[in-house]
Amino acid sequence: MALLRGLCSGDTLPLTKEQITFLPDWVRGLCSAEEDDSVRPLHLAQVLVDHYDRNRRKASGVGQGLLDEIRRRPGGEPLAAYIERRIANEWAELWLGDQIPETVEHSRRHSKRLMEIAANVFRSARPEDVEAVGLNDAKALALFVTAIYLHDIGHTALAFPVTPSGGGAFPLGLFPSSVREVHHLLSRDLILAEGEDLLPDDGSDLAPMLRELVPLVCAYHRGYTHLLKEQKTAQPKGAVSQVGKLLFGDEHFNETLRPLEEVLEAKKGKIAAWGLSIPKVLACAALLRVVDGCDVQADRTVDDVYLKARQKRTEKEGQALWQQLAFFDTKLPAELGNKLCELRDLIDSERIDSERIEDPLRVKDQAEAIKALTGDIYTAVFDDLIALKGSGDWAFINEDFEKIQALSLANRVAFKWEQFLHFRKHQAVGFVLPMPSADGKGVTIGIWPNNELRPDNAALEKVRESIQEELSGKEDDQARGKQRPGGVGDILESLGLKPEVMGERSDGR
């Protein structure tokens, strides 16, 4: 397209008949000979260039169906047009600088797949059920779509705070697992800090509403957070709690654990003035969590060529980090050093490499062992960082460079090898398709196997359980009468969402 654009430019001299023979066939076919034997592009060539420039960033194709859902609602056309402009401009390249590229894709392709999954939910649900949960409203859908597009931009945060002040900042890139654990809160902070750029005013009350509510919906898209007051304060365990308290401090992090409904009640007047309600905002947050959990399909690894290249690159980076760590390992606490040795021994003894993990079933047990070890490493790293920071600011980062470098390398090497295996789990799922339930009531979330691989019914069932857990709590707890009190399933109950594995195979085809 760049070649065709150049030929159409008024600054480009006409080509001769001899020169045109060196052009690609499709470009040559868009040119014609003039009376002076020069060759110039046809008018059609300029039309094609203009069409490409106008549409290359638009939400056409995948994701367009959800924008059409907005347009179908009263007053929806200008809201959909506003979002389309943002997708084409301010949001187009938000994912440049993803701090954890070794994870599965969190770019606009992920957002557009969520839009398509959500659009299929709306197509499959009965109109009265959509109305019952409060998502038949154009403004609520505009909030929902914007949150879909922005919920993962925390992956691009360079430092904490996202707008550093005189107290210094914590370098997130040196500790990639911290980005994963609190990316939802980093998304919130980035949207709050850059709201006027991401969501510019258009003369209506839409942008102010989005600037205030989208950060909250994004902050509650992680499964440990609670939506309803009856759930009480969330109590995350392990790495999430450690990273949250290190970055935000106990008091501020504890504020993020309050149920979303409780937070929204303080904004009840504003929400009503915008023509919304607390149940509608809660429905946006709940459905975002469901559709985000549905994007576990093979397309999230882009394609097989990219997957293999990503795996080989991650493997090389992991090996390089081991070599760098050797220069600093004396700075590590003994227990942390032992855990790293266990991880290295496991990887070496089991020959965990990019060739062997072509088939995820061959390394299933090792993947679970590596996940457990990396979890212990993260805990040890952040225990040490919390102790170093104490009650002070981020100045400690510069006070013992070798110790910080050693802890960073420990975190990074563990993260590389955990993601090296985790990346493959998405390969088991061919696609996820919400569709009307057989009885005409509710929506079945169909989970279809990837027919290009050996069947992994256990992985498919694990995906189903994960979506079901988001809706109604752990199934073993339900069997003991301990179903989680309130949450996503209660908010979206009218939609009758039910995940189901489709077309299980036993013979590889």
Side-chain angles (χ1 to χ4, degrees), residues 1 55-57 78 100 200 255 268 310 392 451 474 498:
M1 190 56 70
N55 293 281
R56 69 191 185 100
R57 295 185 187 275
I100 45 177
E255 277 292 302
K268 187 175 182 179
R310 178 69 265 176
N451 291 326
K474 291 184 178 179
K498 181 183 178 181

Side-chain angles (χ1 to χ4, degrees), residues 174 328 396-407:
L174 293 183
F328 298 93
F396 79 93
I397 296 291
N398 300 316
E399 291 171 359
D400 189 345
F401 170 78
E402 289 188 348
K403 178 67 174 286
I404 296 300
Q405 180 74 333
L407 291 172

Side-chain angles (χ1 to χ4, degrees), residues 363-382:
V363 291
K364 185 176 181 180
D365 292 340
Q366 294 90 335
E368 292 174 0
I370 286 176
K371 186 174 179 63
L373 274 173
T374 55
D376 290 341
I377 292 169
Y378 301 145
T379 297
V381 167
F382 286 103

Side-chain angles (χ1 to χ4, degrees), residues 3-4 6-8 14-17 19-21 23-34 38-46 48:
L3 175 58
L4 192 60
L7 291 173
C8 291
L15 300 175
T16 65
K17 287 183 178 179
Q19 289 171 328
I20 198 175
T21 61
L23 294 176
D25 289 345
W26 73 274
V27 175
R28 190 163 63 246
L30 291 168
C31 298
S32 66
E34 302 291 322
S38 65
V39 177
R40 296 180 182 273
L42 296 168
H43 176 65
L44 176 60
Q46 185 63 57
L48 291 173

Side-chain angles (χ1 to χ4, degrees), residues 340-357:
L340 286 162
C341 287
E342 285 184 53
L343 178 62
R344 183 70 184 263
D345 289 345
L346 177 61
I347 290 167
D348 289 345
S349 64
E350 297 292 340
R351 296 186 299 104
I352 306 296
D353 56 37
S354 54
E355 296 295 327
R356 190 155 185 259
I357 65 168

Side-chain angles (χ1 to χ4, degrees), residues 85-148:
R85 288 195 296 273
R86 305 290 76 79
I87 290 173
N89 295 289
E90 292 85 358
W91 306 347
E93 305 297 345
L94 281 178
W95 294 271
L96 291 175
D98 187 343
Q99 295 292 294
I100 45 177
E102 56 272 80
T103 63
V104 289
E105 174 226 23
H106 289 85
S107 71
R108 63 178 171 224
R109 295 177 75 250
H110 170 53
S111 295
K112 287 187 175 185
R113 282 194 302 274
L114 297 197
M115 289 172 68
E116 191 63 21
I117 291 169
N120 283 328
V121 169
F122 285 105
R123 294 185 192 109
S124 302
R126 298 182 304 182
E128 59 267 31
D129 294 336
V130 174
E131 184 172 1
V133 298
L135 290 174
N136 61 324
D137 177 275
K139 274 194 174 178
L141 285 177
L143 170 61
F144 176 54
V145 175
T146 304
I148 281 179

